Amino acid sequence: MARRETALQAAHGRLRELIGSEFRSGDKLPNERDLAERLEVSRATVREVLGQLAAEGVVTRTWGIGTFVHDGAERVPVSISDVTALRDRITASGHRPTLQDAAVSRATCPPDCAKVLGLAPEAPVWRVDRLFAVDGVPAAWIRDHLPLSFDGRDLDPSGLVSIDLDMFEFLASATGMPVCRAEIELAAVLADEESTARLGVALGHPLITATQIGYGSNGAALFHGHFTVRTDVLTLKLSRGGDPQPTR
């Protein structure tokens, strides 16, 4: 038993040394077989050591995706259960949100967006790209599309390049109709080249992407967006209460 514990301790130290010398925060580690060959131990030993390192916060493990070097940064919990600006959700968690990059331009409406907004395929729309950071660390990249006009009112989203104006606030002012409901569909993905460039993570880093549609009080869709989140910086919290009780 003592010999096995000594072997595990040796493998533990060697793997920590390997991670510290060859990998950076957010990097994906080789698979268990490759690590076992490099350390000259069994895959079972590697699996046990990785479990220890995960418990210590050195790595994060995602089933079906892989093992990644943890950056040690505190994750900021944000709720997606209500219609609230991301900026305000981050601030409510005691952290500082900033816009590291933002741009507003005219673009051709993507097919999925055109269907939601009730526009003709390839109709011109506004495209709003924003890169949110938490305490200076890139955390969420959001790309929204919205019509050039709504109910006879021309929309000018140029103010959204400032952290001081949020999409929900802009639409309430510009359309006279607040966003009262948002539908969000989540998916787990691995970082591609564009996500790597935007969020500063390694290729293959685990991310969460979402499609979000905001609706006005009349049921009309006001915007259609996609956002990509670094789960090593932000954690998304979805709360669900019980069924409302009847009232008299």
Side-chain angles (χ1 to χ4, degrees):
M1 182 69 176
R3 181 178 299 176
R4 179 175 180 274
E5 290 179 351
T6 301
L8 278 174
Q9 290 171 358
H12 183 281
R14 291 165 62 191
L15 186 50
R16 285 200 70 145
E17 182 179 352
L18 175 66
I19 292 172
S21 61
E22 296 190 17
F23 297 91
R24 298 179 302 171
S25 297
D27 283 351
K28 183 178 181 180
L29 296 183
N31 58 38
E32 292 177 356
R33 182 183 62 188
D34 292 341
L35 286 174
E37 290 178 356
R38 294 194 61 175
L39 298 175
E40 298 180 338
V41 297
S42 68
R43 290 181 63 181
T45 296
V46 168
R47 188 176 302 115
E48 188 167 351
V49 171
L50 287 174
Q52 294 174 353
L53 293 177
E56 295 168 9
V58 177
V59 300
T60 57
R61 310 197 74 189
T62 304
W63 185 85
I65 296 178
T67 303
F68 296 81
V69 180
H70 183 53
D71 63 4
E74 177 186 358
R75 297 185 182 185
V76 180
V78 294
S79 172
I80 58 173
S81 303
D82 51 10
V83 182
T84 307
L86 177 61
R87 173 201 64 203
D88 297 336
R89 299 173 196 174
I90 295 170
T91 301
S93 296
H95 295 266
R96 181 175 60 89
T98 55
L99 273 181
Q100 284 199 340
D101 190 23
V104 174
S105 61
R106 290 197 180 205
T108 298
C109 191
D112 58 340
C113 172
K115 183 177 180 180
V116 168
L117 296 179
L119 301 174
E122 300 187 353
V125 291
W126 288 114
R127 186 173 78 185
V128 182
D129 278 296
R130 291 171 294 165
L131 177 61
F132 285 86
V134 176
D135 300 330
V137 179
W141 167 38
I142 303 179
R143 171 171 288 173
D144 291 312
H145 292 94
L146 55 156
L148 300 182
S149 62
F150 183 83
D151 198 23
R153 302 187 184 194
D154 291 336
L155 304 183
D156 178 10
S158 58
L160 290 169
V161 297
S162 168
I163 191 70
D164 296 327
L165 182 64
D166 180 76
M167 178 65 74
F168 296 145
E169 297 167 342
F170 164 72
L171 287 172
S173 174
T175 68
M177 184 183 302
V179 177
C180 63
R181 179 170 64 92
E183 293 181 356
I184 302 176
E185 182 176 322
L186 301 172
V189 300
L190 300 178
D192 57 15
E193 292 184 357
E194 189 171 20
S195 298
T196 296
R198 295 275 185 170
L199 294 171
V201 296
L203 282 172
H205 188 82
L207 302 169
I208 293 294
T209 65
T211 299
Q212 180 174 230
I213 305 171
Y215 295 91
S217 56
N218 65 351
L222 300 176
F223 75 93
H224 180 277
H226 295 281
F227 63 88
T228 305
V229 175
R230 281 182 58 172
T231 56
D232 57 332
V233 180
L234 292 176
T235 58
L236 305 180
K237 181 175 70 175
L238 180 62
S239 301
R240 182 177 180 181
D243 294 333
Q245 299 298 312
T247 58
R248 296 178 181 271

